[in-house]
Amino acid sequence: MNKEIVYVVSDSVGETAELMVKAVAAQFNGGDVEIKHVSYVEDIKDLNNVFTAAKYSNSIIAYTIVIPPLKQYLDQRAREEGIIAIDLMNPLMKAFIQKFNKEPIRQPRLMRKLDDNYFRRVEAIEFAVKYDDGQDLRGINNADIVLIGVSRTSKTPLSMYLAHKRFKVANVPLVPEITPPDELFDIPKNKCVGLVITPDKLNEIRKERLKNLGLTSQANYSSLDRILEELDYAEKIMKRIGCPIINVSNKAIEETADLLLAMLKKRGVVFHE
């Protein structure tokens, strides 16, 4: 049987359509379908390219197009080719028109122009990159959240995940040979979160890291003695700060992030909506 394909067609990025397609696909044996993106559609030529590919495959077209001539052409061409094409926005748009008695602008990419959350997300991502791994300690005072922990406790990926949720995150590595910055002890303790991990899990992760770098797994970096020394040192710093601590062993980034935010809110930390 031919591979099942969904063409996600949009006059913008198409992320809304993709999320909806993934949500539906997940209901069918885990969502084993291939999603092909066709973003920033501006003319009929772009749509013709989609139909050329779609009519020779086992596929569906899911689209979010608000420009009337393009939508009309897509619907008509889909009927002619016998291809299922689903307008993901139109039912809700019709409901808005009917219930609120308003007419849509029908202009693409308005979310990118009007959604302040988008710009806050970009700003947070740039912040996370700039203040990653203790590169610039000025970020500690300006961050919403400061992550601390030894190497390979998911500080960077967790920072980026939280940045996509619009939180400005700085992270600082804890190394026995390096005195932690004074700023860590000056900020509110609830603003800082310590990340810990079991020695065996960290040993496994570091060995794999060295293997990927083409280095010997016998390096001090992955030795159990060194790991125990680092974890003991990090725990002392975290206790000195008085910050909440999360054990990230065997936790997905999403799970750690949810736990972190719930923990901080419980401690009275107020975040922007």
Side-chain angles (χ1 to χ4, degrees):
M1 185 176 179
N2 294 337
K3 177 71 176 179
E4 296 167 345
I5 299 172
V6 177
Y7 288 90
V8 172
V9 181
S10 177
D11 44 26
S12 185
V13 178
E15 57 188 11
T16 302
E18 180 185 5
L19 288 173
M20 292 183 70
V21 169
K22 285 183 175 180
V24 173
Q27 300 297 320
F28 297 88
N29 298 320
D32 186 23
V33 297
E34 181 178 354
I35 297 177
K36 293 193 175 183
H37 296 268
V38 184
S39 302
Y40 300 111
V41 170
E42 295 182 342
D43 53 40
I44 289 176
K45 179 181 177 182
D46 295 329
L47 294 177
N48 285 338
N49 292 335
V50 175
F51 283 106
T52 299
K55 68 181 180 180
Y56 293 114
S57 61
N58 184 27
S59 62
I60 293 172
I61 296 174
Y63 70 89
T64 52
I65 289 180
V66 296
I67 302 173
L70 291 182
K71 170 180 166 45
Q72 291 164 10
Y73 179 82
L74 193 157
D75 289 337
Q76 179 182 342
R77 181 75 187 275
R79 288 193 295 268
E80 293 172 352
E81 300 288 353
I83 297 172
I84 296 175
I86 307 299
D87 185 340
L88 299 177
M89 292 183 67
N90 199 52
L92 186 56
M93 196 174 288
K94 281 185 175 179
F96 268 60
I97 295 170
Q98 180 180 345
K99 187 64 179 179
F100 304 137
N101 195 29
K102 294 181 179 179
E103 285 298 321
I105 300 173
R106 299 191 185 277
Q107 180 180 338
R109 297 186 279 281
L110 283 179
M111 281 185 63
R112 287 291 179 260
K113 294 177 182 177
L114 303 177
D115 191 352
D116 182 56
N117 287 335
Y118 170 73
F119 296 104
R120 282 163 57 181
R121 183 180 298 114
V122 170
E123 184 180 3
I125 292 171
E126 291 174 345
F127 187 96
V129 171
K130 183 175 182 179
Y131 298 112
D132 179 46
D133 207 31
Q135 294 181 80
D136 189 337
L137 298 178
R138 290 175 298 179
I140 294 175
N141 290 319
N142 297 322
D144 296 321
I145 301 168
V146 178
L147 303 177
I148 59 174
V150 302
S151 173
R152 313 313 293 179
T153 48
S154 303
K155 295 187 300 299
T156 295
L158 182 56
S159 295
M160 294 306 300
Y161 181 84
L162 290 168
H164 279 275
K165 290 181 172 291
R166 309 188 309 281
F167 295 105
K168 292 182 179 179
V169 185
N171 73 78
V172 180
L174 298 180
V175 183
E177 292 77 16
I178 301 176
T179 302
D182 293 336
E183 290 86 348
L184 284 180
F185 305 97
D186 295 333
I187 61 175
K189 61 183 181 181
N190 285 344
K191 183 178 177 180
C192 183
V193 177
L195 304 179
V196 298
I197 190 171
T198 61
D200 289 345
K201 185 64 177 179
L202 185 55
N203 176 253
E204 177 187 328
I205 292 172
R206 288 191 175 182
K207 282 184 176 180
E208 186 63 27
R209 172 64 173 165
L210 291 174
K211 180 181 177 181
N212 291 337
L213 293 173
L215 302 174
T216 173
S217 62
Q218 302 304 313
N220 188 45
Y221 176 71
S222 65
S223 74
L224 200 54
D225 287 342
R226 172 63 183 183
I227 286 173
L228 290 171
E229 178 189 2
E230 289 187 33
L231 291 174
D232 182 62
Y233 171 76
E235 184 178 355
K236 289 178 181 177
I237 297 299
M238 292 172 192
K239 286 183 177 178
R240 181 181 163 194
I241 294 172
C243 63
I245 298 173
I246 296 177
N247 190 322
V248 301
S249 305
N250 301 314
K251 284 187 176 66
I253 295 298
E254 298 86 349
E255 182 182 359
T256 301
D258 290 343
L259 181 60
L260 181 152
L261 295 176
M263 181 183 291
L264 293 186
K265 287 180 180 178
K266 188 175 181 180
R267 286 172 171 251
V269 180
V270 179
F271 295 118
H272 53 66
E273 294 298 331

